[in-house]
Amino acid sequence: MISSNIRSDDPAAHPSPRLPQLPLLLPLLLLLTLVGVLAAQPLASNTELWRTFTTVFVSILLEAMPFLLLGIILSSLVHVFIAPDFFRNMAVKWPRPALVLFAALGGILLPICECGMIPVVRKFMQKGLPPSAAVTYMCAAPILNPIVYASTATAFPSAPWMAVGRMAVAFFVVLTIGWIVSIIVHRSHTFLLIHPESYRKTSTHPKNQTYLQLPNKLRHAADHMGKEWMETTVYLTFGACITALFQISFPRSLIVDASWMNPALEHAGLMTLAYLLSLCSTSDAFIAASFTSMLAPASLLSFLVFGPMMDLKTTLMMMTVFRKRFILLLACLLLLVVPLFATIFISIVL
């Protein structure tokens, strides 16, 4: 009988009577309390700098939270409804270059902002997606999507090739990064991941999920959402705080108005600025457009491509999954590859 196959101590077979909404509400209330305290602006600290900091901090949180929640919801649905070896079986049948290409195109089919990317990538790897494909998708999804293309085209109405260039450069960059990672790791998770044992051939699928009714599946997904939310919001809040401090204190004129700036330093300076500002990929094109008269098009492309793939708040969230040495390696690869492809594209178009 089917019931004999279900263990009595299986938490999936006997869902907890606890309301599944509680794990979601508690960290949300803590975050709202923090935002409220910052927004209150005590009279003793009511300075222009404090008001600017709280405004930037709250705006970053409000901009990032919906995308983080979307990523957590998607991660929880993958956790419950996708078979444990779905991606692993795909990886066995497909060669690594084809799998990396599929992951890059997955950014077009399943676009997610960088703020909500980490929970999704972690769950994909737990379902068997190879690290090279996971990193490729992590870099591709925030930038290779129609929304980013439309916002870039809107920001550069007199230079429509900037939107095309952003997509083309990003596509070749993510393919290059994916292939390099696949060569480096050689199917080993140890170099990349903090807890590689949790990504090996172990199932993250709820036991006997086939026999669970839809309400129990949704309850299990809600519990998983609560765990993901409590883990990632802490890092997002801390990252938003650090980013706000940089935004109000970092002198942008040091980069855009420096008389000693040369093309190589211009690329490095704008990528550093993109990293520190941690702008959303749907709005950073308007910031880049304000520098059009001062900076070269190739360096602007580096700014537009590097930021969505690697920024300050995303780095802190990546540290929940990836080792610091891999994050450093990824940043160095992007610093080398992004200016290279941006310069090649501009030399062809202009």
Side-chain angles (χ1 to χ4, degrees):
M1 296 177 61
I2 291 177
S3 59
S4 64
N5 296 328
I6 304 180
R7 294 170 49 188
S8 59
D9 59 345
D10 188 351
H14 300 281
S16 172
R18 175 176 53 86
L19 291 177
Q21 291 84 358
L22 285 179
L24 298 175
L25 292 178
L26 290 178
L28 179 61
L29 290 176
L30 291 175
L31 285 174
L32 290 177
T33 302
L34 176 61
V35 172
V37 170
L38 289 173
Q41 299 179 2
L43 184 61
S45 304
N46 192 19
T47 63
E48 184 64 30
L49 185 63
W50 174 255
R51 287 196 299 270
T52 304
F53 169 76
T54 55
T55 300
V56 173
F57 174 71
V58 172
S59 65
I60 293 174
L61 279 183
L62 293 179
E63 183 180 50
M65 280 297 179
F67 297 104
L68 176 62
L69 182 59
L70 177 62
I72 291 174
I73 292 174
L74 179 59
S75 169
S76 301
L77 294 178
V78 169
H79 174 70
V80 173
F81 290 99
I82 299 296
D85 294 327
F86 176 80
F87 292 112
R88 186 172 288 111
N89 294 335
M90 181 186 299
V92 172
K93 299 176 182 178
W94 290 29
R96 280 185 295 172
L99 198 61
V100 169
L101 178 60
F102 174 78
L105 296 176
I108 303 175
L109 301 176
L110 190 62
I112 300 178
C113 183
E114 60 269 22
C115 300
M117 180 55 58
I118 299 304
V120 177
V121 168
R122 173 168 47 197
K123 191 54 58 181
F124 281 176
M125 286 192 291
Q126 288 176 346
K127 295 292 182 178
L129 188 67
S132 57
V135 172
T136 302
Y137 177 74
M138 181 180 69
C139 295
I143 185 171
L144 286 176
N145 63 73
I147 299 175
V148 174
Y149 177 84
S151 66
T152 308
T154 303
F156 293 91
S158 60
W161 49 266
M162 284 293 291
V164 177
R166 187 179 192 183
M167 298 297 107
V169 171
F171 182 71
F172 285 105
V173 166
V174 298
L175 285 182
T176 304
I177 293 298
W179 289 334
I180 292 176
V181 172
S182 68
I183 294 173
I184 292 175
V185 298
H186 294 295
R187 295 185 179 181
S188 173
H189 295 176
T190 305
F191 180 80
L192 281 80
L193 307 172
I194 298 177
H195 303 292
E197 65 279 358
S198 64
Y199 300 89
R200 300 188 190 277
K201 292 185 178 181
T202 57
S203 173
T204 63
H205 206 59
K207 291 183 175 65
N208 302 304
Q209 188 69 21
T210 306
Y211 308 112
L212 293 181
Q213 300 295 323
L214 181 60
N216 288 337
K217 290 183 179 181
L218 295 178
R219 180 186 294 273
H220 192 90
D223 288 338
H224 185 268
M225 287 173 59
K227 295 176 183 178
E228 291 277 7
W229 179 265
M230 285 187 287
E231 180 176 352
T232 54
T233 49
V234 174
Y235 289 89
L236 177 62
T237 304
F238 183 67
C241 180
I242 300 299
T243 302
L245 289 175
F246 272 110
Q247 287 200 23
I248 66 173
S249 60
F250 186 79
R252 304 183 191 184
S253 59
L254 183 65
I255 294 176
V256 299
D257 295 334
S259 57
W260 46 265
M261 189 69 69
N262 58 48
L265 292 177
E266 195 171 287
H267 283 281
L270 280 184
M271 288 188 290
T272 301
L273 185 63
Y275 181 86
L276 295 177
L277 294 181
S278 299
L279 300 170
C280 181
S281 58
T282 59
S283 59
D284 56 356
F286 298 95
I287 303 298
S290 64
F291 298 146
T292 302
S293 60
M294 297 178 286
L295 300 172
S299 60
L300 290 178
L301 274 181
S302 294
F303 175 88
L304 292 172
V305 173
F306 184 85
M309 298 184 187
M310 179 70 66
D311 61 28
L312 182 57
K313 66 179 186 299
T314 305
T315 300
L316 293 175
M317 298 180 68
M318 287 173 63
M319 291 171 63
T320 63
V321 178
F322 299 101
R323 292 185 181 272
K324 296 177 183 178
R325 60 189 180 188
F326 171 71
I327 298 175
L328 180 61
L329 173 64
L330 179 62
C332 292
L333 289 174
L334 289 173
L335 286 171
L336 293 174
V337 175
V338 170
L340 174 63
F341 283 108
T343 303
I344 291 174
F345 177 83
I346 293 299
S347 64
I348 294 174
V349 174
L350 298 183

